[in-house]
Amino acid sequence: MILSDIQQFIADNKRASLADLKLHFRMEGDALRAMLNRLIRKGRISKMAEAKKCGGCHSCNEDSTEIYVWVSPDKSAPVEEPVSANCH
C-alpha cells in the first residue's frame, strides 16, 4: 500500500523532494529510493536532474535537492515546473 501512497502523494503535488517524502511518510531515504525507483521503472514518476546549489550558505540538504516529478499519463515526458533558483 505504501507504494500507491507515494505515487498518489507525488501525483497530487506534481513533484516532491526526497526530504518532503521522508517527512510525510516517516521513512528512511534508502527505503524510499527503492520504492521511487520502482515507480520510475513503471513510468509513473521521473527524477529531475540534480539541482544546482547556490554554493554559499551550505544549508541546502541533499534530500531537498533530490526531486521526483509526476509523469502525466497522456505524455511520455514528465510535467516539469521550473525549480526556484533561490536557496531555502
Side-chain angles (χ1 to χ4, degrees), residues 17-47:
S17 69
L18 184 62
D20 294 335
L21 295 166
K22 285 171 59 175
L23 182 65
H24 183 80
F25 292 103
R26 294 188 172 113
M27 293 181 66
E28 292 295 320
D30 290 338
L32 279 166
R33 281 187 190 99
M35 289 183 260
L36 291 164
N37 286 331
R38 187 168 181 191
L39 290 171
I40 290 170
R41 285 192 305 272
K42 288 182 170 198
R44 309 273 171 73
I45 65 170
S46 178
K47 183 178 176 184

Side-chain angles (χ1 to χ4, degrees), residues 7 16 21 40 46 51 71 74-75:
Q7 178 178 308
L21 295 166
I40 290 170
S46 178
V71 175
D74 58 344
K75 298 179 184 176

Side-chain angles (χ1 to χ4, degrees), residues 28 69 80 85:
E28 292 295 320
V69 295
E80 291 191 29

Side-chain angles (χ1 to χ4, degrees), residues 38-76:
R38 187 168 181 191
L39 290 171
I40 290 170
R41 285 192 305 272
K42 288 182 170 198
R44 309 273 171 73
I45 65 170
S46 178
K47 183 178 176 184
M48 290 183 72
E50 295 294 321
K52 294 180 182 177
K53 294 184 179 185
C54 65
C57 67
H58 302 289
S59 67
C60 293
N61 184 330
E62 295 274 333
D63 294 344
S64 65
T65 60
E66 187 174 332
I67 300 172
Y68 296 87
V69 295
W70 177 246
V71 175
S72 179
D74 58 344
K75 298 179 184 176
S76 60

